[in-house]
Amino acid sequence: MTAYEVVVLGGGSAGEAVARGLAERNRSVALIEDRLVGGECPYLACMPSKAMLRAAAQGRSWRDAVRFRDEVAEHRDDSETAKSLAEVGVEVVRGRGVITSPGVVHVGGRELRYTDLVIATGSASVIPKLDGLDESSTWTSDDALSSDELPARLLVLGGGPIGCELAQVYARFGSDVTIIESTEHLLPKEPPFVGDLIRIALEGDGVDVQLNKQLERAPDDDTRLLVATGTNPRVDGIGLEVLGIKPNDDGALGTDERMRVIDHVWAIGDVNGVAPYTHAANYQAKVVVDNLTGTPRRSDHRAIPRTVYTDPSVFCVGDTSGEPAAQMHVGETARAAVEEREEGVVALYADASAGVLVGAAVVGPAADHWAGELTLAIRAQVPLPVLADVVHAFPTFSEALEPAYAELAR
């Protein structure tokens, strides 16, 4: 048995970040992972999908795009990431970890003792039960972003961020793409206008968008089925019952503001269900590192960006429920005229009594690049009169924010 101050169960984005941060503060750390160290984002999700979107926008051939994707994803080889962790003092343990008693995790033939346990096991794709479904030939996003195949026909089940991004990728490379979403608009967790604008964009790329529809049966022809209906936290079979921990109804591990589940047990990343984004996982890792190294810290998730990297892109942050207090069309900016782009909307949501911005939803060309100031405005609770006094460079898309700020200030 080997003893560590901290054992991290799961070596994805969250696990890697917390293990590295703790080791850099001279804590003894073991990181347990049975798949790719660094998680899906660099190898099978965020990075390869953005590479494919860029390649499609540049008009590259499919073969060249796949080559570029695999280079960006480091050919799904995590050896350098594991090596860099070892260099800062993290012991990387390959295998599936199971909690066998309070303070002990079993992996392979070893038992690792811990003072604190960080659970960062992530989430897994949900495969729906459909008549005629052959899971061996059904793609998840991981499969789509690691395959060399360009299907002639692709049916994307699910109109969330992943479904929309991959629908646009394959349509731009020549696949006959259909996307099916069971709700009234794409990107159902965002304001309706966001999904409507992305629908228009996808249809412009030739995608057949079908809303308010349930798929009853898997296609029985040569259509490739890509399932993008969401994920569930990976909590089964890791021994939570030994610690008396029961997941929430949605399968996630509930935490307090310090990201603590119970004393000496913490949960970060997708497994806690708070904000399923790599940047949120990395933020939560920093919170836990501080709490475990003598700097009490509470998390604040009011201003976690939600991005979709389609063209146009989507940037949402904060509370976007209800009706927006101000709106502006991005196509009315001088930069839009230069770029020959007419689409895009900025919608701002405010707390009138407090005089601050609480949410924002933006669709527009490269919105993920220029709308970031909205995150700071919400997180720092910048007064509306101050926002209305901000000067933006001319000509930029961010000028679309000025009339909306001014309207809110009035």
Side-chain angles (χ1 to χ4, degrees), residues 79-249:
S79 57
E80 286 300 315
T81 301
K83 179 182 177 182
S84 71
L85 284 167
E87 288 173 348
V88 297
V90 177
E91 181 175 359
V92 177
V93 182
R94 301 280 186 171
R96 186 172 184 275
V98 178
I99 306 160
T100 53
S101 62
V104 178
V105 175
H106 185 274
V107 54
R110 299 180 58 187
E111 286 189 330
L112 311 182
R113 181 172 293 279
Y114 63 82
T115 301
D116 282 273
L117 175 69
V118 180
I119 301 174
T121 47
S123 60
S125 297
V126 176
I127 305 296
K129 295 181 179 180
L130 294 172
D131 289 342
L133 179 68
D134 179 2
E135 289 193 21
S136 65
S137 62
T138 298
W139 272 356
T140 64
S141 59
D142 290 2
D143 299 317
L145 290 168
S146 58
S147 175
D148 294 347
E149 178 189 352
L150 177 59
R153 285 184 291 276
L154 180 69
L155 175 60
V156 181
L157 184 58
I162 293 173
C164 289
E165 287 183 6
L166 292 180
Q168 189 167 64
V169 164
Y170 282 94
R172 288 189 168 185
F173 280 109
S175 293
D176 182 359
V177 180
T178 299
I179 186 169
I180 293 179
E181 167 56 42
S182 61
T183 66
E184 295 181 353
H185 58 89
L186 297 174
L187 304 173
K189 294 183 179 180
E190 304 300 347
F193 83 86
V194 174
D196 290 341
L197 289 174
I198 298 304
R199 173 186 56 77
I200 293 169
L202 292 181
E203 289 176 341
D205 285 321
V207 177
D208 178 11
V209 179
Q210 299 185 20
L211 303 174
N212 279 321
K213 183 175 180 179
Q214 298 282 349
L215 186 64
E216 302 293 340
R217 182 177 178 82
D220 54 9
D221 54 13
D222 60 351
T223 299
R224 170 68 73 174
L225 176 62
L226 169 58
V227 174
T229 50
T231 62
N232 282 335
R234 286 193 179 101
V235 294
D236 292 340
I238 64 173
L240 292 175
E241 64 281 356
V242 170
L243 303 178
I245 296 173
K246 184 178 180 181
N248 298 333
D249 291 342

